[in-house]
């Protein structure tokens, strides 16, 4: 079964390089990646539900991980959508426990090998509906 | 001018200006062959070496590698054409490069405090970065701004915020750099800055500084939710430049941003070529509007990104001055010497900073900063070691200033001008970079010019392809990064103190906006915005109308919403 | 089959629609279970295929159409198809970004599919996805084909109305499309019609259409500038006209009958393939025969015939 990933930049964050490179490389890892560009939490979750995504990937360098990042998890869970939600970008170490507690499955820093992200996804993917 | 040179080889052969005697060159070439056979053979492997932007690098450079160069025509003296050696005759003996550290977070009041700290510790100008809502044209109380207010820069909503930002800062004495990024942001912030100065009674000719103002930032480098069409953004870019060239004689109304283009994903060659292509497009547009090239060309400035490929980056700095001189003199027929010289700011490369072993970044930034000085930069920002974690703390920002001060005072590199000139390698590389920059500009122009390659998404694809390839090279180990894939770090995480944005900024800014909207004369705002709206559809400069609007306390978000309505939104190309 | 899933589907729970589309996309047994249940309840949606070369602005136009339709009160299901990378089997599905504005509108549901090796411009699961949308009660289903340049015929087989989009200055691509252009489209759109050459493109198309005199439906040619919302209403009217034509000419029903039959045939073929492949892989002596064919020592016709006979005997068919 092909893994489906919905990838988005969070809010106004302008740096598209990371999200796009990761998207292309997850494609190279055999995954199907729906790239959303810049979106806010409501739209990201809506898209993930419609696509039946296994994974929501969030990218941010703009410092909005604690606000908008956590909001994505909250909206998804409220709607009963239980896909894996992961995050990448420039995130302070101290915030990672907070994000994980809120339901972000893993946080990947700027130097993560994409194959490691892919391996993490493969071992954690579960169905969109609990 | 390698091309021109080789064409006119026959006539210049034997002329006095030739860098080297042609008889001696022949001997050297012959000896070089012998040396390869007798001395080198068997001592070097098959591996080929390339610079970061893909230029083949030889084992050894010798006089024959610069045999076509004519000293006066291709290199010259500092402060004279073709400005390869530097734009000022005395370079750093006359004035050291400006130590310019970016600051910007929280409310304008927060950033004002940081300005004062940096100035007290030896910074010689202010440099401010704006938060994302401000850059992308939303007020702090806009739903789109949630979570971003004061986060990665300072929040500016109205002229009151600009006044608070520069409270107690002598803007008539020291230069103010404003990292406005987008033209749509620039026209509003610049209007606020100018209006503030007028209110304070500061003559406009005393204002010195730079704003960024690059339509590539708006349409190519950064993605966003709502993007103005390239043509509209380009028009605003030109409006700000035209306005400043007529009213602010010491202001640089544009800093063509090669830097962020490079961060997004280009080679050093593409970085410079796109920036110059933008300056060419600007010049054509301003001339179309009836301006003379010499009225504005001297106010165009550039912004480069220096990576770790030490000599290529130095050659890039020198080559960019060479190409610019050629473009201004020969293409636009600019007469004023100041129009021919390219001034640029350098920031060390954010993308080369690693999160592993972050203190190594101090070494990287120092090497890059040294390259900037050897390349003749006018001002410098040295990245702080913790920028792969967050915005710099006071401590790390201080190390960046100290790094610059060490280069300025302890290394003695500033004592002589362009010390690497005459190096066979550096001169050869300078010529090769110049050639490749010209070729890439030609490629852009063959596709209809810079605005067209943005509209078609061609430039976005160039960037995306480069970024993708670079990541693949890092993952395969072909591109080596110390601590990451070369001698990977074994140490556990270094404890880095993280800078925390003031969380109260959003509520403070919202409250200020609420009060502002209450106390201002809303009829006056309406009227100013109505005029501006109408002028959007006329072939006029919008700056005076924007200034009227900000003086009436129209907010940044209100003005930019008007732009979005009048110019429409553009769909970011799929890459 | 989980009964609550069916109930929630009937209650139009988007979460369940997303899940079932995903099951069908992956051709899981749950997906088939569900397809069995809903087939007889379908046939009401107007299925519109949008095709055309890359860069013609298909996604933008689909976005504009959907915005208008949802304003008119229609509920819409969209299928966007992008190519699968032949190297990795993965895909980068980027069309959705053009329609994100629609996500705010609950009447529009968007599903991105990768071709996964299909060559005709669609994904193998497209017909099944359409079926699920249909059963869910979507008034309009829009399929945007891959759009890699050649004529993508598969879209004809599953759509009621096919719209072919082109842009001015792509004269050459009209030429390449010419082979199938008359057969495929019910409507032609010249998008980005504010660019030079739009009228020439319209004229070229008109000439091609006039060559086919026997048509009972004369495909209209429209000009749009999707990025400026121009020409969208006219296009919607023509699509509506075509639907009316299909209904009055009874082609509406005929197309559905053909589609049902085609799905039946596809299924039969698939089942048969599966059986014969099982037979081949479980009989060692056949493998020897195949090796001989591969090495050119035995002719493929005799070998195939013998294996087929063996298969019939094995299943007591004569």
């Amino acid at each position: 079964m092909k893994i489906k990933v919905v990838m988005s930049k969070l809010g106004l964050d302008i740096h598209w390089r990371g999200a796009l490179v990761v998207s292309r490389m997850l494609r190279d890892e055999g995954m199907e990646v729906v790239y959303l560009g810049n979106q806010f939490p409501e739209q990201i979750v809506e898209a993930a539900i419609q696509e039946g995504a296994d994974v929501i990937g969030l990218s941010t360098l703009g410092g909005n991980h604690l606000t908008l990042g956590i909001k994505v998890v909250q909206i998804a869970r409220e709607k009963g959508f239980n896909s894996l939600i992961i995050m990448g970008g420039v995130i302070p170490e101290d915030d990672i426990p907070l994000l994980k507690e809120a339901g972000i499955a893993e946080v990947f820093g700027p130097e993560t090998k994409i194959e490691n992200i892919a391996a993490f996804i493969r071992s954690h993917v579960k169905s969109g509906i609990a | 001018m390698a091309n021109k040179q080789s064409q006119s080889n026959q006539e210049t052969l034997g002329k006095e200006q030739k860098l080297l005697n042609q008889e001696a060159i022949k001997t050297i070439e012959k000896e070089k062959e012998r040396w390869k056979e007798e001395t080198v053979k068997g001592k070097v492997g098959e591996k080929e070496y390339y610079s970061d932007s893909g230029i083949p690098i030889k084992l050894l450079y010798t006089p024959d590698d610069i045999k076509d160069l004519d000293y006066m025509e291709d290199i010259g003296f500092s402060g004279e054409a073709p400005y390869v050696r530097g734009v000022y005759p005395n370079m750093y003996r006359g004035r050291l490069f400006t130590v310019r550290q970016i600051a910007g977070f929280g409310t304008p009041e927060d950033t004002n405090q940081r300005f004062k700290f940096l100035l007290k510790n030896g910074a010689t100008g202010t440099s401010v970065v704006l938060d994302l809502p401000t850059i992308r044209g939303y007020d702090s109380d806009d739903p789109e701004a949630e979570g971003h207010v004061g986060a990665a820069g300072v929040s500016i909503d109205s002229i009151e915020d600009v006044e608070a930002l520069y409270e107690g800062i002598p803007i008539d004495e020291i230069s103010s750099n404003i990292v406005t990024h987008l033209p749509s942001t620039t026209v509003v912030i610049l209007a606020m800055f100018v209006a503030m100065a007028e209110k304070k009674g500061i003559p406009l000719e005393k204002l010195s500084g730079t704003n960024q103002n690059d339509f590539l930032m708006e349409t190519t480098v950064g993605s966003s939710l709502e993007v103005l069409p390239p043509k509209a953004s380009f028009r605003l870019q030109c409006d700000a430049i035209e306005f400043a060239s007529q009213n602010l004689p010491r202001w640089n109304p544009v800093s063509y941003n090669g830097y962020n283009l490079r961060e997004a994903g280009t080679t050093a060659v593409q970085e410079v070529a796109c920036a110059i292509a933008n300056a060419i497009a600007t010049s054509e547009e301003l001339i179309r509007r009836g301006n003379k090239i010499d009225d504005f060309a001297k106010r165009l400035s550039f912004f480069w990104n220096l990576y770790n490929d030490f000599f290529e980056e130095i050659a890039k700095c020198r080559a960019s001055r060479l190409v610019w001189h050629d473009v201004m003199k020969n293409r636009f027929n600019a007469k004023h010497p100041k129009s021919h010289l390219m001034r640029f700011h350098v920031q060390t490369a954010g993308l080369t900073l690693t999160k592993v072993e972050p203190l190594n970044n101090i070494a990287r930034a120092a090497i890059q900063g040294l390259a900037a000085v050897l390349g003749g930069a006018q001002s410098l920002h040295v990245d702080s070691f913790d920028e792969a974690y967050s915005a710099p703390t006071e401590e790390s920002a201080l190390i960046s200033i100290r790094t610059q001060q060490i280069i300025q005072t302890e290394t003695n590199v500033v004592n002589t001008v362009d010390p690497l000139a005459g190096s066979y390698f550096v001169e050869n590389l300078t010529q090769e970079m110049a050639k490749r920059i010209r070729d890439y500009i030609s490629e852009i122009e063959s596709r209809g010019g810079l605005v067209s390659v943005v509209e078609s998404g061609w430039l976005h694809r160039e960037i995306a392809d480069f970024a993708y390839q670079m990541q693949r090279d890092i993952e395969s180990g072909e591109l080596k990064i110390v601590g990451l894939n070369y001698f990977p770090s074994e140490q556990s995480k270094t404890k880095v103190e993280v800078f925390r944005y003031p969380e109260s900024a959003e509520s403070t800014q919202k409250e200020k906006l609420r009060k502002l909207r209450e106390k201002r004369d809303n009829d006056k705002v309406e009227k100013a915005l109505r005029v501006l709206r109408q002028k959007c559809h006329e072939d006029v400069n919008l700056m005076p109308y924007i200034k009227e609007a900000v003086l009436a306390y129209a907010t940044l978000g209100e003005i930019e919403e008007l732009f979005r309505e009048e110019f429409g939104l553009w769909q970011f190309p799929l890459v | 089959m989980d009964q609550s899933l069916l109930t929630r589907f009937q209650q139009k729970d988007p979460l369940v629609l997303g899940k079932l589309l995903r099951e069908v996309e992956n051709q899981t047994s749950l997906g088939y279970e569900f397809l069995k249940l809903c087939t007889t309840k379908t046939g009401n949606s107007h299925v519109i295929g949008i095709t055309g070369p890359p860069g013609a602005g298909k996604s933008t136009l689909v976005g504009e159409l959907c915005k208008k339709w949802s304003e008119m009160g229609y509920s819409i299901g969209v299928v966007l198809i992008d190519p699968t990378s032949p190297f990795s089997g993965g895909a980068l599905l980027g069309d959705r970004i053009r329609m994100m504005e629609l996500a705010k509108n609950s009447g529009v549901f968007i599903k991105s599919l990768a071709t996964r090796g299909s060559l005709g411009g669609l994904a193998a699961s497209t017909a099944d996805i359409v079926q699920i949308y249909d059963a869910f009660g979507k008034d309009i289903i829009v399929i945007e084909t891959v759009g890699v340049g050649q004529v993508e015929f598969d879209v004809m087989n599953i759509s009621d109305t096919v719209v072919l989009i082109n842009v001015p200055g792509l004269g050459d691509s009209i030429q390449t499309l010419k082979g199938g252009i008359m057969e495929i489209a019910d409507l032609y759109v010249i998008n980005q019609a504010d660019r030079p050459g739009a009228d020439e493109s319209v004229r070229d198309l008109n000439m091609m259409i006039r060559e086919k005199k026997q048509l009972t439906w004369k495909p209209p040619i429209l000009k749009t500038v999707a990025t400026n919302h121009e020409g969208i209403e006219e296009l919607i009217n023509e699509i509506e006209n075509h639907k009316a034509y299909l209904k009055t000419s009874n082609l509406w029903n005929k197309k559905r009958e053909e589609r049902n039959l085609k799905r039946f045939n596809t299924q039969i073929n698939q089942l048969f393939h599966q059986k014969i492949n099982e037979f081949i892989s479980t009989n060692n002596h056949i493998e020897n025969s195949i090796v001989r064919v591969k090495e050119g020592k035995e002719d493929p016709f005799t070998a195939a015939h013998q294996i087929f006979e063996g298969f019939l005997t094995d299943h007591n068919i004569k």
Side-chain angles (χ1 to χ4, degrees):
Chain A
M1 193 188 88
K2 297 258 193 262
I3 292 171
K4 202 151 206 167
V5 183
V6 159
M7 182 75 72
S8 186
K9 293 216 55 59
L10 213 42
L12 291 177
D13 188 31
I14 58 173
H15 309 83
W16 53 272
R17 176 181 184 144
L20 199 90
V21 168
V22 172
S23 296
R24 282 194 182 189
M25 292 192 74
L26 290 179
R27 173 199 62 193
D28 296 346
E29 292 281 341
M31 299 182 190
E32 294 179 342
V33 185
V34 183
Y35 183 64
L36 302 183
N38 289 66
Q39 300 301 335
F40 277 95
E42 289 81 0
Q43 284 81 51
I44 295 169
V45 174
E46 179 104 55
I49 287 175
Q50 296 189 353
E51 298 292 355
D54 305 298
V55 186
I56 297 177
L58 304 171
S59 161
T60 179
L61 286 85
N64 57 14
H65 50 279
L66 287 179
T67 48
L68 298 187
I70 290 175
K71 207 167 163 190
V72 171
V73 186
Q74 285 168 347
I75 294 174
R77 302 310 181 232
E78 268 168 32
K79 296 196 170 192
F81 186 69
N82 294 321
S83 77
L84 189 69
I85 302 179
I86 58 176
M87 190 183 266
V90 178
I91 316 278
E93 270 332 297
D94 294 355
D95 291 349
I96 294 176
L98 298 172
L99 291 167
K100 288 192 170 174
E101 201 179 311
I104 302 276
E106 190 53 272
V107 178
F108 298 99
E111 281 136 25
T112 316
K113 273 191 154 192
I114 313 289
E115 61 182 48
N116 293 345
I117 300 178
F120 180 87
I121 290 173
R122 285 195 194 96
S123 62
H124 287 78
V125 153
K126 51 185 177 183
S127 160
I129 285 187
Chain B
M1 270 164 276
N3 287 341
K4 199 172 161 193
Q5 191 59 40
S6 54
Q7 281 164 12
S8 57
N9 236 355
Q10 289 310 80
E11 17 175 310
T12 51
L13 207 71
K15 270 193 187 171
E16 286 299 302
Q17 299 98 310
K18 271 288 181 201
L19 202 55
L20 294 153
N21 175 302
Q22 297 304 300
E23 281 305 309
I25 292 286
K26 276 181 195 147
T27 311
I28 291 165
E29 278 173 341
K30 219 170 79 192
E31 284 296 302
K32 200 169 176 180
E33 285 310 308
R34 181 200 54 75
W35 166 78
K36 278 183 189 165
E37 273 306 303
E38 290 179 7
T39 311
V40 178
K41 210 170 184 180
K43 306 260 185 348
V44 286
E46 294 289 297
K47 185 171 184 250
E48 289 176 349
Y49 291 79
Y50 294 93
S51 74
D52 271 358
S53 63
I55 296 172
I57 301 297
K58 296 179 190 178
L59 171 67
L60 187 79
Y61 285 79
T62 48
D64 58 311
D65 288 308
I66 54 171
K67 66 179 175 185
D68 289 333
L69 289 189
D70 178 304
Y71 185 76
M72 288 311 297
E73 192 175 326
D74 298 325
I75 303 173
F77 297 104
S78 53
E80 287 185 6
Y83 300 99
V84 173
R85 305 206 59 182
V87 293
Y88 303 123
N90 52 5
M91 283 305 287
Y92 302 130
R93 283 196 189 192
R95 206 177 101 190
L96 285 168
F97 56 90
T98 310
V99 177
R100 216 189 257 305
Q101 286 303 123
I102 290 183
F105 57 87
T107 63
E109 290 80 2
D110 294 325
T111 298
N112 179 266
Q113 290 305 307
R114 178 65 73 89
F115 276 175
K116 287 173 178 165
F117 169 84
L118 291 169
L119 290 170
K120 202 176 80 193
N121 285 283
T124 49
T126 64
S127 184
V128 65
V129 57
L130 309 168
D131 70 2
L132 282 168
T134 307
I135 289 172
R136 282 289 168 184
Y138 302 100
D139 284 335
S140 299
D141 57 358
D142 195 305
E144 315 277 21
E146 189 192 335
H148 291 289
V149 177
V154 65
S155 166
I156 302 287
D157 293 317
S158 74
I159 187 171
E160 285 186 343
D161 290 333
V162 173
E163 286 165 349
L165 182 64
Y166 291 101
E167 188 276 318
I169 309 287
I171 54 167
D172 48 349
E173 288 167 24
I174 62 166
S175 69
S176 313
N177 183 41
I178 311 177
V179 188
T180 45
H181 289 301
L182 321 185
S184 57
T185 322
T186 303
V187 290
V188 180
I189 300 285
L190 180 61
M192 288 176 177
F193 190 83
V194 168
M196 166 191 71
E198 282 177 348
K199 281 172 76 180
K200 284 184 173 178
I202 297 172
L204 296 189
E205 58 269 21
K206 284 202 161 180
L207 296 178
S208 79
T210 304
N211 55 243
Q212 207 168 71
N213 190 28
D214 186 327
F215 88 102
L216 290 180
M217 285 299 291
E218 187 142 16
T219 57
T220 312
V221 171
S223 61
S224 191
L225 299 152
E226 298 176 302
V227 183
L228 292 185
K231 278 200 183 88
S233 180
F234 179 71
R235 180 235 179 133
L236 294 175
Q237 174 186 302
C238 293
D239 280 0
I241 296 169
E242 187 181 38
F243 173 84
S245 74
Q246 292 165 358
N247 298 284
L248 306 169
R250 295 178 65 208
W251 191 263
N252 303 309
V254 61
S255 177
Y256 292 107
N257 188 343
Y259 184 90
N260 283 82
L261 205 63
R262 185 85 179 275
E263 290 285 299
T266 68
T267 64
V269 169
Q270 292 167 316
E271 169 194 358
V272 172
C274 289
I276 293 181
N278 192 355
I280 290 172
T282 307
S283 301
E284 286 170 349
E285 167 62 11
L286 291 198
I287 289 166
R288 182 196 69 80
R289 296 183 184 188
N291 299 275
K292 300 254 182 318
I293 186 81
D294 285 312
D295 295 341
F296 61 86
K298 59 181 181 291
R299 304 261 42 109
L300 308 178
S301 69
F302 295 80
F303 178 18
W304 302 146
N305 192 336
L306 265 57
Y307 275 47
N308 289 323
D309 192 333
F310 192 69
F311 289 105
E312 177 170 276
E313 296 296 351
I314 294 167
K316 173 181 85 180
C317 293
R318 302 176 85 240
S320 62
R321 285 193 292 265
L322 183 62
V323 175
W324 181 244
H325 167 262
D326 181 28
V327 166
M328 280 297 125
K329 183 164 183 277
N330 299 320
R331 178 169 176 160
F332 287 102
N333 210 10
K335 297 282 182 256
H336 199 295
K338 278 193 171 171
S339 304
H340 299 165
L341 51 91
M342 167 186 277
R343 293 161 305 126
F344 58 85
H345 171 67
V346 166
Q347 183 173 337
T348 60
L351 206 80
T352 64
L353 303 178
T354 62
K355 206 172 170 188
V356 292
E357 300 183 352
L359 295 179
N360 296 347
N361 295 329
I362 298 174
R364 291 189 179 97
I367 292 167
Q368 295 163 6
L370 178 62
V373 175
L374 295 176
Q378 273 58 63
S379 59
L380 180 59
H381 168 102
V382 168
D383 279 343
S384 299
F385 71 87
D386 52 1
E387 286 184 38
Y389 288 83
S390 68
T393 58
E394 264 186 16
E395 185 204 9
S396 68
L398 191 58
I399 292 175
S400 294
I401 291 185
R402 296 296 183 239
T403 303
Q404 302 194 51
Q405 290 166 337
I406 289 166
I407 295 172
Q408 282 186 339
T409 59
E410 297 182 15
T411 63
N412 284 349
V413 295
V414 294
N415 291 352
T416 189
V417 172
D418 189 28
L420 291 174
S423 150
Y424 309 124
F425 176 43
V426 172
E427 294 295 0
N428 175 283
L429 199 54
T430 301
Q431 293 298 320
E432 184 60 29
M433 290 295 281
K435 178 185 176 299
R436 289 179 182 229
I437 290 165
R438 288 190 178 101
D439 287 349
Y440 201 72
I441 293 172
S442 301
E443 167 135 33
I444 289 169
E445 300 204 316
S446 74
R447 294 170 186 276
L450 195 63
V451 178
S452 289
V453 299
V454 171
E455 283 179 328
S456 71
W458 178 82
L459 191 56
H460 301 77
R461 279 190 294 282
E462 291 273 287
I463 291 168
D465 291 347
F466 178 89
Y468 170 67
Q469 192 53 47
M470 184 169 169
Q471 182 64 26
R472 287 178 66 114
D473 291 346
I474 291 171
E475 302 223 345
S476 70
E478 193 163 310
L479 191 63
K480 290 185 181 61
I481 297 172
V482 174
L484 184 67
N485 63 1
Y486 187 71
F487 292 103
S489 176
E490 284 174 15
Q491 69 180 53
S492 58
K493 280 169 194 136
T494 312
K495 188 70 190 153
V496 170
E497 192 201 331
V498 174
F499 179 73
R500 291 287 170 188
Y501 309 111
E503 278 176 23
S504 57
E506 186 167 329
S507 55
T508 310
Q509 288 298 97
K510 275 182 171 172
E511 180 57 19
K512 278 160 71 178
L513 269 172
R514 195 187 59 77
K515 283 186 184 150
L516 179 84
R517 291 200 168 106
E518 224 172 68
K519 73 177 181 208
R520 69 182 183 182
D521 179 347
N522 280 309
D523 289 341
K524 207 172 152 196
V525 176
E526 284 282 309
K527 205 177 140 221
L529 290 180
R530 203 161 46 238
V531 175
L532 178 59
R533 192 178 292 278
Q534 180 200 332
K535 296 292 173 188
C536 284
H537 302 284
E538 294 173 22
D539 190 9
V540 294
N541 193 314
L542 294 179
M543 281 299 295
Y545 307 102
I546 299 167
K547 207 177 88 190
E548 282 310 307
V550 302
L551 274 169
Y553 297 97
T555 65
L556 174 126
E558 288 162 350
I559 295 171
E560 298 217 29
E561 185 58 29
L562 182 152
F563 291 155
R564 289 189 281 269
E565 286 165 8
E566 299 311 308
F567 296 130
L569 298 178
W570 182 60
Q571 286 184 323
F572 201 77
L574 300 168
V575 281
Chain C
M1 159 81 69
D2 181 355
Q3 205 49 43
S4 74
L5 213 54
L6 191 62
T7 317
R8 285 170 67 190
F9 183 81
Q10 284 157 349
Q11 290 164 347
K12 300 197 190 294
D13 181 344
L15 206 66
V16 173
L17 178 57
K19 180 185 167 61
L20 285 173
L21 292 182
R22 181 92 178 108
E23 296 291 333
V24 165
E25 176 187 16
N26 285 332
Q27 303 182 317
T28 65
S29 52
L30 176 62
Y32 282 120
E33 280 296 307
F34 204 81
L35 282 169
K36 282 182 204 167
L37 279 177
C38 67
T39 298
T40 52
K41 296 178 184 68
T42 60
N44 303 317
S45 313
H46 185 189
V47 184
I48 298 158
I50 311 271
T51 186
K58 292 188 292 295
S59 303
T60 309
L61 195 77
V62 169
E64 287 296 314
L65 286 171
C66 290
K67 211 191 301 174
K68 202 91 218 159
W69 276 321
S70 71
E71 279 168 20
M72 294 161 77
Y74 291 117
S75 119
I76 305 146
V78 181
V79 189
L80 304 171
I81 300 155
D82 268 320
T84 289
S85 158
F87 305 106
S88 68
L92 190 52
L93 309 165
D95 292 337
R96 192 185 178 103
I97 200 173
R98 288 276 166 270
M99 290 165 217
M100 282 310 288
E101 227 183 301
L102 296 169
K104 292 170 191 163
N105 189 321
S106 57
V108 184
F109 203 97
I110 303 168
K111 174 76 180 169
S112 309
L113 294 179
T115 51
R116 298 188 183 174
S118 296
L119 297 172
L122 301 179
S125 61
T126 313
D128 298 335
I129 299 276
V130 166
Q131 187 109 56
I132 299 283
Y133 270 148
D134 195 338
F136 194 77
K138 293 290 177 193
D139 305 312
I140 295 170
I141 299 167
V142 187
I143 303 160
E144 182 190 322
T145 71
V146 175
V148 285
Q150 82 272 30
V151 181
E152 295 167 332
F153 287 102
D154 283 3
V155 72
M156 287 167 62
N157 297 327
I158 86 174
S159 313
D160 300 313
T161 304
V162 174
V163 182
L164 190 138
I165 304 177
N166 221 318
V167 281
L170 280 181
D172 293 344
S173 79
I174 292 187
Q175 284 306 315
T176 29
L177 289 171
K178 203 174 174 181
I181 199 166
M182 294 320 302
E183 287 75 16
I184 192 168
D186 304 302
L187 280 117
Y188 296 92
V189 171
I190 299 296
N191 192 28
Q192 298 167 31
D194 52 345
R195 286 187 3 195
D199 292 330
E200 287 88 327
S201 297
V202 171
R203 199 184 53 217
D204 290 351
L205 276 170
N206 253 322
M207 262 159 53
M208 274 187 249
I209 289 167
R210 254 180 265 134
E211 284 167 19
K212 300 257 171 180
K213 291 201 175 74
Q214 72 276 30
L215 292 176
T216 51
W217 166 260
K218 186 178 176 299
I221 303 163
L222 293 110
K223 290 198 283 186
T224 58
V225 185
T227 47
N228 286 348
H229 328 291
E230 286 169 26
I232 305 301
E233 244 166 274
E234 292 81 348
L235 178 55
I236 284 192
N237 289 341
E238 288 296 348
I239 290 172
E240 206 48 49
N241 287 345
H242 185 248
K243 184 181 175 182
Y245 160 76
L246 291 174
K247 293 248 172 163
T248 51
S249 63
N250 204 32
L251 270 171
W252 180 269
N253 290 331
K254 226 177 116 192
K255 278 186 182 249
R256 272 155 188 68
E257 285 167 17
E258 278 169 12
R259 248 180 259 160
N260 290 339
L261 211 55
K262 203 169 173 67
R263 283 167 67 72
F264 167 76
N265 285 333
T266 309
Q267 199 56 38
I268 286 281
N269 286 339
Q270 247 173 33
L271 289 172
F272 184 71
H273 266 269
Q274 223 172 331
K275 279 284 169 207
I276 202 154
N277 284 337
E278 268 168 32
F279 176 72
I280 290 172
S281 63
T282 49
N283 282 282
N284 288 335
H285 70 276
I286 296 181
E287 204 163 312
N288 294 335
S289 179
I290 291 174
V291 171
R292 289 175 60 77
V293 169
K294 201 164 92 184
E295 291 169 348
K297 289 171 185 160
E298 194 175 332
D299 82 278
F301 309 101
T302 316
H305 197 77
Q306 275 172 1
I307 292 167
F308 188 66
E309 288 296 326
F311 174 79
L312 293 180
T313 315
D314 195 65
H315 288 76
N316 293 321
I317 314 167
K318 259 299 169 183

